[in-house]
Amino acid sequence: ETGVTQTPRHLVMGMTNKKSLKCEQHLGHNAMYWYKQSAKKPLELMFVYSLEERVENNSVPSRFSPECPNSSHLFLHLHTLQPEDSALYLCASSQDLNSNNYGYTFGSGTRLTVV
Amino acid sequence: DAKTTQPTSMDCAEGRAANLPCNHSTISGNEYVYWYRQIHSQGPQYIIHGLKNNETNEMASLIITEDRKSSTLILPHATLRDTAVYYCIVRPYTDKLIFGTGTRLQVFP
């Protein structure tokens, strides 16, 4: 248990489905992040939230919609995905956006397969 | 743009020290060196970080050269559970973590 919990661990969805990934942290951190890791590729930073405000959106298609209702929870809403969106989606948190202590704490990820 | 260069893969015998190199010749004065590892299909795990002094914790040691252009992560007694991809990242304290391709370390019996 890393302190950052992601659910579900595995998700299979059709291209017309709508689903949501959930991330929860009770570390008292103020910044949260979504990363995508496709097969044989480095982790790609998707979204950055600080104190529940989105501060970065790295050219992510609109079929991915993040939501941060409070500092402990982060969601990634998915709709009309493509098979190439199949990947490991990782959530992370840090004390603050500019934190330089122990860096980021990552969850175990959600393995998404789009069929 | 890649700020670090790491070997693609390395092998290490169990019980031996694993020394993982990282080149960061364009590092700026305000950039820290971070090391993370990712065990298969899990999220990355923080290992250690430093600015210019050598650092040690319960997991590893970080040796940074005097000119700060390269560093080495040392796992003093590698175990099979240390098999993972190890990422060396340079980052100003105000910036996000951007991952490269890392070094795949295989520890063998």
Side-chain angles (χ1 to χ4, degrees):
Chain A
E1 182 56 55
T2 66
V4 176
T5 303
Q6 289 188 244
T7 54
R9 289 297 306 274
H10 301 272
L11 178 63
V12 179
M13 62 185 288
M15 288 189 282
T16 58
N17 291 158
K18 290 184 181 181
K19 296 285 185 183
S20 296
L21 310 185
K22 179 181 176 182
C23 176
E24 185 172 356
Q25 61 91 6
H26 295 290
L27 301 169
H29 288 174
N30 295 316
M32 297 186 77
Y33 312 82
W34 280 116
Y35 284 83
K36 174 185 177 183
Q37 189 173 32
S38 303
K40 304 200 186 298
K41 283 188 176 181
L43 280 81
E44 302 169 52
L45 181 62
M46 300 174 73
F47 300 105
V48 179
Y49 275 81
S50 176
L51 296 171
E52 302 149 45
E53 296 291 325
R54 189 189 314 179
V55 296
E56 188 159 328
N57 173 349
N58 284 334
S59 303
V60 179
S62 60
R63 57 185 184 269
F64 295 91
S65 175
E67 179 190 4
C68 188
N70 55 63
S71 59
S72 298
H73 294 87
L74 185 65
F75 294 90
L76 188 62
H77 303 300
L78 317 171
H79 65 98
T80 58
L81 294 192
Q82 304 298 312
E84 59 264 29
D85 296 322
S86 298
L88 181 67
Y89 288 85
L90 291 156
C91 173
S93 69
S94 65
Q95 184 62 56
D96 296 291
L97 195 60
N98 300 334
S99 174
N100 201 38
N101 294 326
Y102 295 97
Y104 296 7
T105 301
F106 282 83
S108 298
T110 294
R111 173 72 60 186
L112 174 68
T113 303
V114 181
V115 298
Chain B
D1 56 2
K3 290 188 173 184
T4 64
T5 304
Q6 298 179 253
T8 303
S9 63
M10 294 182 64
D11 290 339
C12 180
E14 191 176 21
R16 296 294 186 103
N19 298 303
L20 292 94
C22 180
N23 286 325
H24 30 80
S25 58
T26 60
I27 192 169
S28 301
N30 66 341
E31 289 184 316
Y32 287 72
V33 180
Y34 277 80
W35 283 85
Y36 281 75
R37 73 180 183 183
Q38 187 176 21
I39 296 170
H40 181 63
S41 291
Q42 296 182 23
Q45 175 191 24
Y46 166 84
I47 301 173
I48 199 166
H49 76 284
L51 184 61
K52 54 184 177 181
N53 297 321
N54 297 337
E55 302 288 344
T56 295
N57 63 22
E58 64 278 4
M59 289 183 69
S61 294
L62 173 60
I63 309 298
I64 302 174
T65 57
E66 194 166 342
D67 63 7
R68 303 210 320 125
K69 293 186 176 182
S70 66
S71 60
T72 301
L73 178 75
I74 301 173
L75 308 179
H77 306 285
T79 71
L80 298 178
R81 285 184 289 184
D82 292 321
T83 293
V85 178
Y86 287 77
Y87 299 98
C88 170
I89 303 167
V90 296
R91 131 187 208 251
Y93 76 96
T94 56
D95 210 347
K96 291 81 57 186
L97 272 180
I98 304 299
F99 288 79
T101 53
T103 295
R104 183 171 298 278
L105 175 68
Q106 179 69 53
V107 181
F108 57 90

